[in-house]
Amino acid sequence: MNTVAASPYQPVKERGTMRSFLLALVMHLLLGIVLYYGVHWQSSTPVGAEAELWEEIPAATAPPPPPREPEPQPVVQPRPVPAPPAPQVKSKVEEDADIALEKKKRQAEAAAREEAERKEAARKEAERKEASRKEEARKEEARKDAARKEAERKEAERKEAQRKEDAKKKAAQQEQDRKEQAERERKEAADAKARAQADAKAKAQADAKAKAQADAKARAQAEAAANAQRKSELARLQALAGGGAGGGGVGSTTGAGAGGGGKASPGYADRVRRRVKPNIVFTEDLAANPSAVVSVRLAPDGSLMSARLSKSSGNSSWDNAVLRAVERSDPLPRDEDGKAPASFTITFRPKD
């Protein structure tokens, strides 16, 4: 995100201004000292040279005085203008010395001018270099400022991207937490439902077991009463059979038929099984399908005389349930000839 400056752009303040000013002042002082000594280092009066001239100078003879004339009348004349002094005649040595001195002065002035020009050029070069340095410093400062702003912009973008990424991760984490919470709640509800169903099933099984026990107790009592009645009836029948045998004749034949009973017809076992099966009370869930074989002895009228387990299924609960069902089914149906067989076996399986 680009940040907009709150204040308008201001030029970068130059650094080292006081140092540059002091350096310029020192250079000007040095230049003034050099110029002063360059101009005045030969400004003293040169020592004159003495020379002796031996050439004879002809003596100047004064002209003879003019003849005396009569004095004229005084006439007022204008005041004469004094003639300029005659130029001083210098010797050749003096002229050479003056020429040499003038030449030296000109050379010194030329050297001073060259030095001044050189120093001026050096000053201008220094100023140009200082201006170039300041410009480079300004550009460098501007570049650094631009780089700093770019770095701030990139940092702001990075922070914004990081903030969005953190927000995205937080939202994803919250969504994950919400899903996990929903899954936990669903599992807890399923577990509660399963526990409730298990409790209900256990309660139903307990109720069924209690009811089965109550029914079994009631049936046991009824069976005990029925067994007592059946035993008394069997005793009566046996007494009658014994009486017939003592009397001879047909009674003996009938007794033999009741005792032997003959073989059962092919469909008799299924008839007995259909009669007994509704009376079986068994609530366990078996993985296999074991077989319980029951041996039954009947009276000719179908009354149950005895029922015993000839082959166990391996599950005592199923064996006992089958025996109790056979006892509850007394009397059993008669065969096709109107009589019940004396004895037979019948097989029961829980999943048939």
Side-chain angles (χ1 to χ4, degrees), residues 176-186 188:
Q176 183 67 22
D177 294 342
R178 186 187 64 79
K179 288 182 179 179
E180 290 178 356
Q181 181 66 23
E183 183 65 19
R184 284 195 299 270
E185 292 177 355
R186 187 187 65 78
E188 290 176 357

Side-chain angles (χ1 to χ4, degrees), residues 158-290:
R158 186 190 65 79
K159 289 183 178 179
E160 181 66 17
Q162 184 65 31
R163 185 188 64 79
K164 290 182 179 179
E165 184 67 20
D166 293 341
K168 185 177 179 181
K169 288 182 179 179
K170 185 177 180 181
Q173 185 63 36
Q174 290 178 351
E175 181 66 17
Q176 183 67 22
D177 294 342
R178 186 187 64 79
K179 288 182 179 179
E180 290 178 356
Q181 181 66 23
E183 183 65 19
R184 284 195 299 270
E185 292 177 355
R186 187 187 65 78
K187 287 183 178 179
E188 290 176 357
D191 293 341
K193 184 177 180 181
R195 287 194 299 270
Q197 290 178 350
D199 294 341
K201 185 176 181 180
K203 185 178 180 181
Q205 290 178 351
D207 293 342
K209 187 176 181 180
K211 183 178 180 181
Q213 290 176 353
D215 293 343
K217 186 177 180 180
R219 283 193 296 271
Q221 292 176 356
E223 288 173 359
N227 288 334
Q229 183 178 0
R230 183 171 60 253
K231 287 179 180 180
S232 63
E233 183 68 17
L234 287 174
R236 185 181 65 80
L237 290 175
Q238 289 176 356
L240 290 175
V250 180
S252 176
T253 305
T254 305
K263 293 183 178 180
S265 64
Y268 182 74
D270 290 335
R271 291 173 58 195
V272 173
R273 187 181 296 109
R274 287 195 298 270
R275 173 72 177 272
V276 174
K277 192 172 182 178
N279 295 323
I280 298 176
V281 178
F282 185 73
T283 58
E284 295 183 14
D285 188 11
L286 300 178
N289 194 22

Side-chain angles (χ1 to χ4, degrees), residues 75-84:
V75 179
V76 178
Q77 297 291 338
R79 191 173 182 175
V81 178

Side-chain angles (χ1 to χ4, degrees), residues 95-162:
E95 290 180 356
D96 291 339
D98 291 341
I99 291 171
L101 181 60
E102 186 67 25
K103 186 176 180 180
K104 288 181 179 181
K105 285 184 179 181
R106 285 196 300 272
Q107 290 177 352
E109 290 176 356
R113 283 196 301 274
E114 288 178 0
E115 182 67 19
E117 290 175 357
R118 186 185 64 79
K119 290 182 178 180
E120 182 67 17
R123 184 185 64 79
K124 289 182 178 180
E125 181 66 18
E127 290 179 354
R128 186 188 65 77
K129 289 182 178 180
E130 181 66 18
S132 178
R133 185 189 64 77
K134 289 181 179 179
E135 181 65 18
E136 290 295 331
R138 186 187 65 79
K139 289 181 180 179
E140 182 67 17
E141 187 68 22
R143 186 187 65 79
K144 289 182 179 180
D145 187 62
R148 179 181 57 80
K149 289 182 179 179
E150 181 66 16
E152 290 177 353
R153 183 185 66 80
K154 289 183 179 180
E155 182 65 17
E157 289 180 353
R158 186 190 65 79
K159 289 183 178 179
E160 181 66 17
Q162 184 65 31

